[in-house]
Each structure stands twice: as structure tokens, then as C-alpha cells.
């Protein structure tokens, strides 16, 4: 049975706190199957991964999602990169001189359209405040710890479960077309080596020898950084496969689709339930994983989440010529476009538009992305089918997700993954399940919590 549904009245919450129940269960060395009820709010990759680890701990898990299936919003057609070594935040000193030209050019990788929205301006100011070397280095270090943990969990998952999501361990090439940016990438590589990244710097000839599909780009290549340990896959399939595991085994997770969460019902420092389009749902513990919609639900509780949507685009192009499409994932550093092979398609993703909250496709942006692919991999596709998509990255100014406790004892956060949700989802899901259970998380939470 999932979380209890009580449309007309709200029953009294559990007397025992969530952690004390778990500690008690742990001390008794009993199975967790009879333990606590957990409600996961949101079925994107963050919510699904959280549900997976709470389920693996033996809890009674229910997931509430307003759409009719998992991963239909930002986790649907993202870049597909499991980019464990490329977590450096957008907020860095090098971004400052690029901002004026980006503001002036319609085809800039980052676009800003001012809105009458105080949160947009607050986000921008906090972003600018984070654009200094010290903050960027600390953030990179923290994110690397989290992403390496995520990589370990992914490798454990794919070696223990038969799940099919076009997963490949294909490595990544970050291609630089400007000498200056290549030199600074080499410096970053040295910094990251001290944190455990294994990477190498290649000249243009070595780059094309490693990935022959880059032939057309060769005259523009100043150099590339190669990271053999990067993976790729289809995030939508990944979420569906995790859901399959959770719903076809014992103590199955209950997925309640078409349910819009409208309001948290809180009293005396605890959540008593959530009011939804399908009545009130109650549980012992709640995990908020609502992507860009999280701030709206938290604001009435007096909690501000510094998350703003950063719109991005993708194309999924059927591959026409095997040799024309890269096997290694490729990032065009200057244009901020990523390319990954997802099954028989080339997934191309890019653009970061700070342009309000409407998730509408801007045809001009799609055309720009098509032009990028035609210039980089002209033989990869016949460009008759594009499958354009846009999604809203739940971005925080510093680029770090917000995890863990809130001022409400039984409400936990797993939000704000920005451009790294697929990459970080397993680690953040595991960490939230651990801290909710009173266990020490494997990765220090400093920099990832609200306060
Ligand atoms: C163009 C693009 C490319 C990207 N490429 C990559 C990549 O290569 N690698 C990578 O790691 N990351 C990538 N990302 C980032 C990644 O996609 C996101 O970080 C991730 O999908 C966020 O997951 P989420 O679960 O937090 O949010 P979402 O996937 O948006 O999930 C939130 C869920 O909550 C539901 N919801 C919201 N409000 C309510 C409500 N009131 N009631 C009920 N349900 C609700 C939504 O319907 C949704 O299903 C990319 C993003 C974009 C846009």
C-alpha cells in the first residue's frame, strides 16, 4: 500500500519522528519492509532516483506526478551525458567578459530576456556574485565529489541490474576552437587531476585520429581534452527502467500519475500531508523533487529556493551515416553544444536562455542548433527528422543542487540540479535517502544544503 489518501479530512501525523522510527527498525535488525511511508513529489530523474533508494531501503514509497508518466519534463530529451568530470559551474570569472557579447547576439549560447520577475533579477545578482575564482573552485571540488560518487553508483547499478537505456561508456572529447580557451582548459585539467580526474590534452590531429567523425571540424580545432571515463545514455529510458524495477518487484513503489501537488500542509515543524488535485496524501516523510516548480511549492512555507529555469534545447537526429556521427561524446566548448549517440540517434543539446518560465520552443533557437550540427557533423544526418525539444534546467546561481533537510523535520529536498541532473541523480537520491534515515551520507553535504 502506498501513502494513505484522505480526500476530506487530515488524520493526525505519526507520533514518532522519521529518523527515530528508522533507528528503532535498524536497532531491531528487522527488515525495512514494514517501516515508514515516504511520499516523493515529482517523477523526473531526481524524484525517480530518490524513490529507488528509499524503496531499496525497504520503505513504503509513493510517487506523485502531475504528468501521465515519468520523465516527461526536463528529464525527457536532455543531452544524455553522464558528465562526471565536467561539473565546473557556469558561474566563473571567465564568463564575465563573455556576457556583453552574449547579450548582444541573438545566436549566443546564453541569452537573457529581462522579465518583470524579481526572482529572475535576484538569481542574476547571485550568479554574478558567484563568478569569482574562489567560489568556482570550491563548487567544482564539491560537485566532483558528488559526481564521482554518482559514477560509482551508476557502475554498481548497471553491473547488478539488467536495465536498458542506451548506456555507453564511450568517453568524452571537449573540443576547443580557440587557443586561449584550450590553454585555460589545460590549466583546469591540471587542477582537476589533483582531484582525481584522468584526462589528457590532444592536438587537432590526435583529436581527429581518436574521433574521425570530427574531420569536418578539424580546421577549426585548437585542441581537445579527452576524458575516457565519461558515460552517456537516455535519461527518459533510464527513469522508465528504474520505475520498472521498483514496480515489478516485492513491496512495489506506487506511482500516482495525473496528480498535481498544490500545497504542503504543515504544523509544528512537520508536514502533515500534501493537498493535491486528487485529495490529501499523508506520509511519514516527504521528498520534494519538483524541478523548476519547487520554489513555488516552498514559498508559502517561508522557504526561498534560489532556483530559476534555464531553458535549453535538444535535437534527436536519426543517424544517416555511421561514420559521420561521433561514437565518443563531443562538446563544442565555444558554442556550448554537446553531442552524444543515443542508440541510433545523435542527440544534440545546447543553449541556456534566461528568458522566463514559459517552456515554449523558439524556432530561431532550433535553427541555430541545426546550423551547429551541420557545421560540426554534416554527414551524421539527412536532417529530415529533427525531433526538437526544449526543457527548463532547474538552475541555482552557483550550480549546486540543494539537498537534505528543511526547517520541517520530515521534509527533504532533492532539487536544483541545473545542467547535471542525469549525471548527479543517483548520488543525490542516495544521499537524501541516507540523511533521512539518519545515516552519514558518503559525500559531505557542505555547500549543498539550504543554510
Ligand atoms: C537542453 C538540456 C540538456 C541537458 N543535458 C544534460 C546532460 O547531458 N546531462 C545531465 O546530467 N543533465 C542534463 N540536463 C539537465 C537535466 O535534464 C536536469 O537537471 C534534470 O532533468 C532535472 O531533473 P528533475 O527531476 O529535478 O526535474 P524534472 O525532470 O523537471 O522533474 C520534475 C517533475 O516534477 C513534476 N512536477 C512539477 N510540479 C509538480 C506539481 N505541482 N505536482 C506534481 N508534479 C509536479 C514535473 O511534472 C516533473 O515530472 C539538460 C537539461 C536541458 C534542458
Amino acid at each position: 500500500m502506498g501513502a494513505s489518501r484522505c480526500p476530506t479530512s487530515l488524520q493526525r501525523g505519526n507520533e514518532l519522528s522519521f529518523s527515530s522510527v528508522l533507528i528503532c527498525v535498524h536497532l531491531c535488525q528487522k527488515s525495512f519492509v514494514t517501516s515508514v511511508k515516504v511520499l516523493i513529489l515529482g517523477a523526473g530523474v531526481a524524484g525517480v532516483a530518490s524513490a529507488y533508494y528509499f524503496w531499496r531501503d525497504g520503505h513504503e514509497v509513493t510517487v506523485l506526478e502531475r504528468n501521465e508518466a515519468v520523465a516527461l519534463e526536463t528529464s525527457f530529451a536532455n543531452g544524455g551525458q553522464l558528465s562526471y568530470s565536467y561539473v565546473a559551474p557556469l558561474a566563473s570569472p571567465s564568463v564575465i567578459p563573455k556576457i556583453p557579447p552574449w547579450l548582444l547576439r541573438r545566436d549566443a549560447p546564453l541569452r537573457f530576456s529581462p522579465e518583470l520577475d524579481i526572482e529572475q533579477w535576484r538569481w542574476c545578482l547571485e550568479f554574478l556574485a558567484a563568478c569569482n575564482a574562489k567560489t568556482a573552485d570550491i563548487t567544482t571540488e564539491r560537485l566532483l565529489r558528488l559526481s564521482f560518487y554518482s559514477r560509482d553508483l551508476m557502475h554498481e547499478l548497471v553491473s547488478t541490474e539488467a536495465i536498458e537505456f542506451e548506456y555507453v561508456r564511450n568517453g568524452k572529447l571537449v573540443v576547443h576552437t580557440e587557443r586561449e580557451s584550450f590553454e585555460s582548459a589545460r590549466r583546469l585539467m591540471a587542477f582537476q587531476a589533483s582531484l582525481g580526474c584522468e584526462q589528457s590534452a590532444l592536438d587537432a590531429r590526435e583529436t581527429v585520429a581518436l574521433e574521425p567523425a570530427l574531420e569536418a571540424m578539424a580546421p577549426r580545432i585548437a585542441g581537445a581534452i579527452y576524458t575516457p571515463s565519461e558515460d552517456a545514455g537516455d535519461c527518459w529510458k533510464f527513469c522508465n527502467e528504474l520505475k520498472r524495477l521498483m514496480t515489478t518487484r516485492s513491496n512495489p513503489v506506487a506511482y500516482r500519475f495525473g496528480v498535481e501537488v498544490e500545497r504542503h500542509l504543515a504544523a509544528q515543524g512537520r508536514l502533515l500531508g500534501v493537498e493535491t488535485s486528487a485529495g490529501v496524501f499523508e506520509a511519514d516523510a516527504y521528498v520534494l523533487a519538483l524541478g523548476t516548480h519547487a520554489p513555488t511549492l516552498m514559498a508559502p512555507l517561508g522557504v526561498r529556493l534560489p532556483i530559476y529555469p534555464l531553458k535549453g534545447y535538444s535535437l534527436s537526429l536519426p543517424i544517416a551515416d555511421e561514420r559521420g556521427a561521433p561514437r565518443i561524446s563531443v562538446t563544442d566548448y565555444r558554442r556550448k553544444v554537446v553531442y552524444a549517440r543515443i542508440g541510433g540517434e545523435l542527440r544534440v543539446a545546447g543553449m541556456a536562455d534566461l528568458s522566463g518560465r514559459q517552456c515554449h520552443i523558439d524556432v530561431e533557437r532550433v535553427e541555430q542548433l541545426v546550423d551547429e550540427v551541420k557545421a560540426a557533423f554534416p554527414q551524421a544526418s539527412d536532417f529530415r527528422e529533427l525531433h526538437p525539444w526544449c526543457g527548463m534546467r532547474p538552475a541555482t546561481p552557483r550550480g549546486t543542487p540543494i539537498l537534505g533537510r528543511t526547517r520541517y523535520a520530515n521534509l527533504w529536498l532533492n532539487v536544483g540540479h541545473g545542467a547535471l541532473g542525469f549525471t548527479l541523480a543517483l548520488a543525490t537520491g542516495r544521499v537524501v535517502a541516507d540523511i533521512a534515515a539518519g545515516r552519514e551520507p558518503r559525500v559531505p553535504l557542505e555547500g549543498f544544503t539550504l543554510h
Side-chain angles (χ1 to χ4, degrees):
M1 205 182 83
S4 54
R5 189 183 145 202
C6 170
T8 48
S9 71
L10 185 65
Q11 282 148 13
R12 196 164 146 62
N14 231 345
E15 291 295 331
L16 285 174
S17 78
F18 180 51
S19 344
S20 52
V21 170
L22 289 183
I23 289 163
C24 172
V25 171
H26 182 68
L27 289 177
C28 298
Q29 291 292 298
K30 283 189 186 153
S31 150
F32 282 150
V33 172
T34 54
S35 60
V36 303
K37 289 179 180 173
V38 182
L39 259 187
I40 310 284
L41 313 179
V45 71
V48 171
S50 307
Y52 177 71
Y53 285 112
F54 277 93
W55 170 73
R56 283 234 330 225
D57 283 353
H59 302 301
E60 217 177 288
V61 181
T62 298
V63 182
L64 302 185
E65 167 57 50
R66 65 182 174 189
N67 289 312
E68 291 305 326
V70 300
L72 291 184
E73 300 213 359
T74 317
S75 307
F76 182 63
N78 64 26
Q81 320 254 331
L82 292 160
S83 201
Y84 304 112
S85 302
Y86 283 93
V87 295
L90 185 60
S92 72
S94 67
V95 106
I96 301 277
K98 293 180 189 152
I99 290 177
W102 280 350
L103 289 178
L104 294 172
R105 291 189 58 154
R106 300 255 339 135
D107 68 344
L110 196 141
R111 207 150 85 175
F112 175 61
S113 315
E115 297 279 314
L116 275 176
D117 180 348
I118 184 84
E119 280 307 319
Q120 189 196 40
W121 290 91
R122 257 179 108 165
W123 192 96
C124 289
L125 290 176
E126 288 167 1
F127 175 83
L128 290 174
C131 286
N132 62 78
K134 189 169 168 225
T135 307
D137 284 355
I138 291 172
T139 303
T140 305
E141 210 171 319
R142 287 175 177 158
L143 283 171
L144 276 180
R145 273 199 292 264
L146 198 60
S147 68
F148 286 171
Y149 182 39
S150 217
R151 182 172 61 196
D152 292 347
L153 291 170
M154 179 62 82
H155 291 174
E156 179 193 306
L157 178 72
V158 295
S159 65
T160 53
E161 297 283 5
I163 57 171
E164 174 43 57
F165 62 102
E166 313 293 354
Y167 173 71
V168 281
R169 290 166 94 162
N170 58 342
K172 185 181 178 85
L173 271 168
V174 176
V175 175
H176 293 264
T177 50
E178 290 161 326
R179 181 130 305 274
E180 205 177 85
S181 85
F182 182 48
E183 289 313 321
S184 85
R186 289 170 77 118
R187 284 193 293 277
L188 182 66
M189 189 179 91
F191 170 65
Q192 296 210 156
S194 67
L195 304 172
C197 290
E198 286 172 21
Q199 299 175 309
S200 48
L202 310 180
D203 64 23
R205 194 185 48 79
E206 291 166 327
T207 305
V208 179
L210 188 65
E211 179 45 79
L214 281 165
E215 184 69 55
M217 234 179 136
R220 292 193 281 138
I221 296 176
I225 305 295
Y226 176 52
T227 314
S229 56
E230 304 285 83
D231 305 342
D234 184 325
C235 186
W236 174 79
K237 282 190 182 168
F238 177 72
C239 293
N240 278 280
E241 283 289 89
L242 279 190
K243 173 179 164 259
R244 178 179 62 76
L245 297 182
M246 289 179 249
T247 51
T248 54
R249 304 244 174 108
S250 65
N251 186 32
V253 172
Y255 277 83
R256 299 294 311 267
F257 293 116
V259 176
E260 175 103 29
V261 180
E262 290 162 352
R263 196 160 70 97
H264 291 116
L265 302 166
Q268 294 173 343
R270 292 178 63 79
L271 275 204
L272 303 180
V274 286
E275 203 169 79
T276 77
S277 54
V280 172
F281 285 76
E282 293 176 58
D284 302 298
Y286 301 79
V287 177
L288 188 94
L290 296 174
T292 51
H293 303 273
T296 317
L297 264 287
M298 288 305 288
L301 294 181
V303 179
R304 176 182 174 258
L305 296 178
I307 295 172
Y308 200 79
L310 210 49
K311 194 199 279 191
Y313 288 82
S314 79
L315 307 172
S316 301
L317 308 160
I319 293 172
D321 174 358
E322 278 295 315
R323 284 161 311 163
R327 291 204 169 271
I328 299 173
S329 295
V330 170
T331 297
D332 179 338
Y333 182 81
R334 193 172 84 87
R335 301 301 301 159
K336 308 262 180 273
V337 177
V338 297
Y339 301 86
R341 221 182 237 252
I342 310 275
E345 291 183 334
L346 181 63
R347 179 72 54 81
V348 186
M351 322 292 188
D353 294 354
L354 204 61
S355 55
R357 299 174 187 275
Q358 298 301 316
C359 192
H360 294 152
I361 289 186
D362 174 347
V363 177
E364 190 185 13
R365 287 309 238 174
V366 174
E367 284 168 353
Q368 286 162 9
L369 211 46
V370 172
D371 289 345
E372 296 289 347
V373 198
K374 284 184 172 167
F377 300 106
Q379 308 301 326
S381 168
D382 57 18
F383 297 94
R384 280 189 297 207
E385 281 179 56
L386 302 174
H387 303 293
W389 170 82
C390 75
M392 307 297 249
R393 300 176 186 91
T396 60
R398 273 186 302 138
T400 40
I402 306 169
L403 309 175
R405 63 183 73 256
T406 62
R407 65 167 78 147
Y408 296 89
N410 56 347
L411 171 63
W412 314 91
L413 300 173
N414 190 1
V415 291
H417 296 64
L420 292 170
F422 189 21
T423 306
L424 299 179
L426 288 181
T428 62
R430 178 73 269 171
V431 161
V432 171
D434 282 343
I435 48 177
R439 290 187 297 257
E440 189 65 30
R442 186 83 73 78
V443 176
L445 276 189
E446 198 189 351
F448 296 123
T449 54
L450 262 184
H451 304 292

